[in-house]
Amino acid sequence: MSNREGEGCPKKICDAAQANLSLPVIAAFKVFQQELDTKHDKYEHLVKISRDITIESKRSIFLLHRVTSLPDAEDALNEADVKLDGVRQKIGQIAEELRGEDIYQFHRAFTPGIQEYVEAVSFLHYIRHRSLISLEEINAKLVFMRTEKVDVKGSAEAQPHAAQVLTFQVMPSDYLLGVADLTGELMRMCISSVGNGDIDTPFQLSQFLRQIHDGFSYIGNTGPYEVSKKLYTLRQSLGKVEDACYALRVRGSEIPKHMLADVFSSRTTLIDPDEGLV
Amino acid sequence: MSVTEMFSYIQGFLSADHDVREDIRKVVQVLEQTAREILTLLQSVHQPSGFKEIPSKCAKARELFCTVQTQMADLKTKFPVEQYYRFHEHWRFVLQRLAFLAAFVVYLESETLVTREEVAQILGIEVVREKGFHLDIEDYLAGVLIMASELSRLAVNSVTAGDYNRPLRISNFINELDSGFRLLNLKNDPLRKRYDGLKYDVKKIEEVVYDLSIRGLAKEPEAGGDK
């Protein structure tokens, strides 16, 4: 088929078209190519930053889990602060990249990192304050100062600098998903605190987790669909924590402290996986 | 702020978001209806009797596009203009359809490739995002690719209707389009998949041209291409 000879052979026209870049269609597509390349480059750059954010946030979370077993908790907390400051700088880079853009166009690129950051920063907040960090508090820390050179034409002097404020606003949906992931970490914190002989934390956590779970139940299906998926895991986490409290209450005085953690990990949860949302 | 208060606030946000999307859905449904009317109108050019009526069908289609413009103006009022991509998924499909229909009309009228600016003008929207509700470049390209499939069908039906020259012109046009698309660096996304279908359109049209040439049914196209 491709060896066809004939008048008006399309393949000849095709080659001629490729050679003749001034054809309007070809010229138009060259513009499209540049536009698409620019957009893809920006998207990929944001994906990279998001990955860095995810890694550093996860490391902060691991660090925070070690807090309960460390003699000097305050040091570890400060170290986590520093780490998360680094993450915030990265979020500043995202804000730079998104300047003048529609942030929703690139949301899928950076949402994983942002969710992980919310998880980390809310975990730190809980350890310090025993409360849930609000979206406002999170966003308040995501304000960045940039100095921009102001181009003063015809001036022979040094260019003046103008301060510019750049913000990044975490979306409610990302906040919600980050908090959903937080509950998994809180469950782990509960189990490990019992292993350390701390029998107060599980009861505090149980109450806190229940509030969060109730909040998610209230939202139900109206949130992003990923929330519904995470709700199942959340119920399991809550179940484990509630079982821990039960065991502590009923049998806590009987069991040596170093065996308490074993008791909880072997208990099976009684949550029915098919139980859907109310 | 307590946990309960936080979730209450979020619920309020989600509720408002839900309402906006409902509003958008309603307008998009209306747009889809109009798009279907334009499609039905233009599909009739594939019939043997339809070929003579192309100019009048194009004119009628343009009238229907005026309705589209009104409906687009309504859609624009349903959400803040700087959140285009937040809700883009709702109208992506219909906008691609409309881009295809605009491209098809322009092709039937002048046998050229409609530009992004022309499509935007026909639909009553912008090209540049900063200026307002705009035509995303990938939606424009998707519309063009849908048109390519339509043209491969048109080539076949032209022959059946006795027009042996049109397929050659379509062939030149599609090949030029293919060269253009080859310049793009596409990711593995829906646009890329749609573009993969273009080679089948090219092949189909080549076969039509081949069938005509070996039987001596087709005259050589004029020098200078398909304008």
Side-chain angles (χ1 to χ4, degrees), chain A residues 115-151:
Chain A
Q115 286 177 37
E116 202 70 43
Y117 169 71
V118 168
E119 193 185 335
V121 86
S122 58
F123 192 28
L124 174 58
H125 185 98
Y126 180 79
I127 292 175
R128 273 218 175 100
H129 306 288
R130 300 294 181 198
S131 68
L132 178 65
I133 193 173
S134 72
L135 182 54
E136 213 180 310
E137 284 170 295
I138 293 181
N139 284 335
K141 292 207 194 116
L142 298 177
V143 179
F144 310 98
M145 298 296 291
R146 292 279 181 270
T147 49
E148 294 280 311
K149 281 208 185 120
V150 175
D151 203 358

Side-chain angles (χ1 to χ4, degrees), chain A residues 9-262:
Chain A
C9 174
K11 204 163 187 310
K12 277 193 206 149
I13 305 285
C14 181
D15 293 338
Q18 280 194 317
N20 184 359
L21 294 180
S22 65
L23 273 177
V25 168
I26 303 299
F29 272 83
K30 273 226 156 274
V31 172
F32 302 155
Q33 178 205 60
Q34 280 164 4
E35 253 187 68
L36 284 173
D37 282 352
T38 307
K39 192 191 86 162
H40 291 148
D41 286 347
K42 189 177 280 277
Y43 192 92
E44 287 308 311
H45 188 210
L46 286 166
V47 167
K48 282 187 195 136
I49 302 176
S50 174
R51 279 203 199 113
D52 290 344
I53 290 177
T54 301
I55 291 170
E56 269 314 288
S57 300
K58 276 205 201 292
R59 288 193 182 145
S60 307
I61 292 174
F62 284 129
L63 176 58
L64 290 169
H65 273 303
R66 293 199 285 275
V67 161
T68 46
S69 55
L70 290 174
D72 207 343
E74 200 50 41
D75 269 354
L77 288 176
N78 290 333
E79 203 186 323
D81 258 330
V82 170
K83 261 203 188 335
L84 289 175
D85 265 335
V87 173
R88 279 186 275 273
Q89 290 310 307
K90 291 258 166 201
I91 297 181
Q93 286 177 23
I94 292 184
E96 284 270 10
E97 199 67 39
L98 291 174
R99 212 203 302 233
E101 302 285 349
D102 183 335
I103 58 172
Y104 294 94
Q105 191 178 18
F106 299 96
H107 180 238
R108 276 198 351 258
F110 59 78
T111 185
I114 295 299
Q115 286 177 37
E116 202 70 43
Y117 169 71
V118 168
E119 193 185 335
V121 86
S122 58
F123 192 28
L124 174 58
H125 185 98
Y126 180 79
I127 292 175
R128 273 218 175 100
H129 306 288
R130 300 294 181 198
S131 68
L132 178 65
I133 193 173
S134 72
L135 182 54
E136 213 180 310
E137 284 170 295
I138 293 181
N139 284 335
K141 292 207 194 116
L142 298 177
V143 179
F144 310 98
M145 298 296 291
R146 292 279 181 270
T147 49
E148 294 280 311
K149 281 208 185 120
V150 175
D151 203 358
V152 180
K153 287 190 172 62
S155 167
E157 296 160 10
Q159 308 283 19
H161 293 247
Q164 239 200 27
V165 174
L166 211 55
T167 63
F168 183 89
Q169 300 280 291
V170 173
M171 294 176 200
S173 58
D174 286 339
Y175 172 81
L176 212 54
L177 293 167
V179 169
D181 288 337
L182 167 68
T183 58
E185 302 305 327
L186 292 176
M187 181 271 293
R188 287 188 189 101
M189 180 180 163
C190 173
I191 305 304
S192 67
S193 71
V194 166
N196 292 327
D198 177 356
I199 55 173
D200 296 315
T201 301
F203 295 101
Q204 292 172 352
L205 272 171
S206 175
Q207 191 191 22
F208 184 63
L209 270 176
R210 219 175 274 130
Q211 286 178 333
I212 294 185
H213 172 264
D214 291 350
F216 274 101
S217 295
Y218 177 58
I219 292 202
N221 286 337
T222 65
Y225 85 100
E226 297 102 331
V227 168
S228 309
K229 285 198 308 188
K230 289 184 196 278
L231 190 56
Y232 172 63
T233 311
L234 169 51
R235 288 183 172 198
Q236 288 195 315
S237 296
L238 179 59
K240 284 185 189 149
V241 169
E242 284 176 336
D243 286 350
C245 294
Y246 167 84
L248 276 175
R249 184 69 79 213
V250 167
R251 303 163 58 188
S253 46
E254 309 157 2
I255 305 174
K257 287 203 164 52
H258 66 270
M259 285 177 61
L260 278 173
D262 289 340

